[in-house]
Amino acid sequence: MSKQNEQHTLVRTLALGVLSGGRSGTPLAVLALNHDNKALKGDWQQWKAFSTPLGRGLLVASAIGELIGDKSSKVPARISPAGLVGRIGAGALAGAALGTTGRRDLRIEGAILGGIGAVVGSFVGWAARKALSGAGLPDAVGALAEDGAVIAGSVKAVGSV
């Protein structure tokens, strides 16, 4: 794997981490839906969470549940300790998975970048939502815009081999 390809992979792992800060389940669900994409060629495609129908179904259902649940005022803030831990874990897993694509195994670097990206994405997303609601925009509008951005970004990050 050339240095340029390695850097491209690492940027993608960081991007999935940032996106996990917005919606922790979406990047994992997009990976699950691409489990049989031969262009990705990663060890992650053999991991049980991505290789079995049950694992893929749970990842997709979790992402859908999060997209719906985020609109509730009863959901704790993403920057709460529990919210951050889950997002960091999801970002690290997504980064590790994507880090296995290519000739050199970058799962450790991918996990680190994915976790760091999740922290960044959590705080940036939280601040953006607060700013939008402070400007008088209904929170649901900001939430739907964030949903779209995270879905599109995840599809792009996973698919840009």
Side-chain angles (χ1 to χ4, degrees), residues 43-108:
D43 287 348
W44 67 273
Q45 292 167 315
Q46 304 309 313
W47 298 355
K48 296 286 185 209
F50 301 108
S51 67
T52 63
L54 176 62
R56 290 190 306 271
L58 289 172
L59 289 172
V60 171
S62 173
I64 291 169
E66 183 182 20
L67 290 171
I68 294 167
D70 178 66
K71 311 319 175 269
S72 169
S73 60
K74 296 179 190 217
V75 174
R78 70 183 78 201
I79 60 169
S80 70
L84 278 176
V85 167
R87 290 169 193 279
I88 291 168
L93 178 58
L98 204 57
T100 69
T101 60
R103 287 188 205 150
R104 184 164 167 243
D105 191 333
L106 299 169
R107 80 181 72 202
I108 300 298

Side-chain angles (χ1 to χ4, degrees), residues 2 5 18 25-26 30-31 38-40 53 67 69 76 97 104 109-110 116 118 121 124 126 131 137 145 149:
S2 74
N5 286 345
V18 170
T26 300
V30 170
L31 282 165
K38 301 294 183 215
L40 294 175
L67 290 171
R104 184 164 167 243
E109 296 90 335
I116 290 169
V124 168
W126 174 80
L137 207 62

Side-chain angles (χ1 to χ4, degrees), residues 5-20 27 31 90-101 106-118 157-158 160:
N5 286 345
E6 285 181 15
Q7 289 172 347
H8 180 69
T9 297
L10 292 174
V11 167
R12 290 168 52 219
T13 65
L14 179 63
L16 280 186
V18 170
L19 294 162
S20 293
L31 282 165
L93 178 58
L98 204 57
T100 69
T101 60
L106 299 169
R107 80 181 72 202
I108 300 298
E109 296 90 335
I112 292 167
L113 288 172
I116 290 169
V158 170
S160 65

Side-chain angles (χ1 to χ4, degrees), residues 115-130:
I116 290 169
V119 172
V120 171
S122 294
F123 281 95
V124 168
W126 174 80
R129 290 272 294 271
K130 275 193 93 60

